[in-house]
Amino acid sequence: MDKKRVVVWGTGVVGAMVIAEVLDHPVFELVGVGVTRSERVGQDVGPLVGLEETGILTTTSVDELIALEPDALVHYGPTAQYADDNIRVITAFLRAGIDVCSTAMTPWVWPAMKQNPGNWITPIEEACAEGGASCFTTGIDPGFANDLFPMTLMGLCGRVDSVRASELLDYTDYEGDYEDEMGIGRPPSYTPLLEIPDLLIMAWGATVPMIAHAAGIELDDITTTWEKWVTPTDRKTAKGVIEAGNVAAIRFTINGVYDGREVITLEHVNRIGLDAAPDWPAGTGDDVYRVDIAGSPSISQETAFRFTDGSGRAPAVAGCLATGLRALNAVPAVNDLPPGWVTALDLPLIPGAGTIR
């Protein structure tokens, strides 16, 4: 089987880890790497990700990367906060007939979600039509932890009364932006972006209407809840210290309501220290993703992501790698699909060709 030639966009935490995997992968060939930050232009990607030189230099030029004629762009751009730049890069590849698998714009996990702005949707649809290409967006949450996992388990049931997908993580070693988005580390009076219901649903809730669609129902409403836990003592983190009196854990839910009851729930419990918010849900292990189905039969599944290579990297980082590899491993399947949007409901089983070697 010929290797799938891929361009990777982004050399942040996810992109760098995926590049290292691609360079040693029998199914994929790395042919180019795109970056947004000018200070990273012209660098050999090998040393950039801690490996030997490869001869592949980073570039900000979309045209140069398109000229390489890859089978796909695997896009690890910034979040939907930078939608215009993501759309600029992605539509250029789509118009050139190059499929895109991305983790950046998480509302695109379910493009039909009504909270998606039209100026985020129409350019992709037009570019796919013009180039005859496909666009797939995934993530971990939102993404496979609350679309692939729960919907696969629902397929083992005769009746589902409710399904809950939970992220239960300790953010002590996490270095992402949780202050402005979640309010962790802020005073309890602070209103973070995600506490605003419409923003929370748009940013994190796409899989709620997706699951409803897959189950053949139309939701009456999507609601949210938000709770904060204030630490009585100082707590050390990878980013500094959260002082006593500030928020050190948050819990939120996004709930799909059908026939007057909550039938689909996405839940997050993110805490600084495993002892924070002790009355809130936790996994049987630390740092896990859970699916709980009440039905016939009832099913519970808990998934943990870990590095066992002695590197000491945190579970959250292992989850980031899994996120990136979900997008990469989807490339052959996306190449085989007709032009347009691709969601988890369109993909066949992706068993990870070439992973056992």
Side-chain angles (χ1 to χ4, degrees):
M1 181 178 69
D2 292 336
K3 286 189 174 184
K4 290 291 185 179
R5 304 173 72 252
V6 298
V7 163
V8 170
W9 187 278
T11 56
V13 172
V14 177
M17 289 192 293
V18 172
I19 287 169
E21 297 283 344
V22 175
L23 290 172
D24 187 40
H25 205 291
V27 173
F28 302 103
E29 177 187 357
L30 184 69
V31 297
V33 174
V35 293
T36 303
R37 293 162 52 184
S38 58
E39 64 268 25
R40 289 199 171 184
V41 172
Q43 298 185 41
D44 190 292
V45 299
L48 196 60
V49 302
L51 299 175
E52 296 181 359
E53 291 191 353
T54 63
I56 302 171
L57 303 182
T58 59
T59 180
T60 57
S61 172
V62 173
D63 291 339
E64 288 180 13
L65 296 171
I66 289 174
L68 297 171
E69 299 183 348
D71 293 296
L73 167 68
V74 190
H75 179 264
Y76 305 113
T79 67
Q81 183 179 353
Y82 303 92
D84 290 346
D85 194 57
N86 287 329
I87 291 171
R88 174 187 65 84
V89 172
I90 289 171
T91 55
F93 280 85
L94 294 172
R95 285 195 299 269
I98 298 166
D99 293 336
V100 176
C101 296
S102 177
T103 62
M105 300 285 289
T106 51
W108 289 352
V109 167
W110 187 241
M113 180 176 64
K114 66 180 182 180
Q115 284 82 6
N116 270 307
N119 62 342
W120 288 9
I121 299 299
T122 302
I124 301 299
E125 293 177 342
E126 292 177 347
C128 286
E130 181 180 338
S134 300
C135 184
F136 171 57
T137 297
T138 187
I140 188 168
D141 183 347
F144 61 83
N146 51 31
D147 60 35
L148 176 67
F149 288 178
M151 290 192 292
T152 300
L153 296 177
M154 289 168 67
L156 307 179
C157 297
R159 186 191 74 256
V160 172
D161 299 321
S162 66
V163 55
R164 175 181 292 258
S166 303
E167 176 183 280
L168 308 170
L169 296 185
D170 179 2
Y171 270 13
T172 299
D173 295 321
Y174 182 62
E175 297 186 34
D177 175 22
Y178 50 63
E179 296 90 351
D180 293 339
E181 290 188 357
M182 295 181 171
I184 295 175
R186 302 286 196 210
S189 59
Y190 177 79
T191 301
L193 292 173
L194 292 177
E195 191 175 348
I196 302 169
D198 287 346
L199 289 181
L200 180 59
I201 293 170
M202 184 177 75
W204 294 87
T207 58
V208 171
M210 180 200 288
I211 293 172
H213 175 83
I217 63 172
E218 185 172 342
L219 295 174
D220 304 325
D221 196 9
I222 298 178
T223 63
T224 68
T225 65
W226 190 280
E227 300 176 71
K228 307 173 184 182
W229 183 83
V230 175
T231 179
T233 59
D234 292 353
R235 290 177 178 266
K236 293 182 179 180
T237 77
K239 302 171 71 172
V241 175
I242 295 178
E243 296 180 351
N246 289 324
V247 173
I250 60 98
R251 179 187 185 186
F252 69 75
T253 63
I254 305 172
N255 312 290
V257 179
Y258 174 69
D259 197 23
R261 56 196 174 93
E262 294 176 358
V263 294
I264 302 166
T265 297
L266 309 184
E267 177 183 46
H268 272 236
V269 177
N270 302 112
R271 42 172 56 100
I272 303 297
L274 295 172
D275 61 332
D279 295 331
W280 290 357
T284 57
D286 303 336
D287 297 298
V288 299
Y289 292 82
R290 279 187 63 89
V291 176
D292 291 290
I293 295 174
S296 179
S298 295
I299 303 174
S300 293
Q301 171 189 279
E302 199 166 271
T303 305
F305 299 93
R306 302 287 190 269
F307 287 106
T308 56
D309 57 2
S311 64
R313 289 176 290 177
V317 180
C320 288
L321 176 57
T323 299
L325 292 174
R326 168 71 168 164
L328 175 71
N329 287 327
V331 165
V334 172
N335 284 165
D336 290 339
L337 290 171
W341 289 111
V342 175
T343 75
L345 295 178
D346 302 306
L347 293 173
L349 177 66
I350 299 173
T355 55
I356 298 177
R357 56 187 188 268

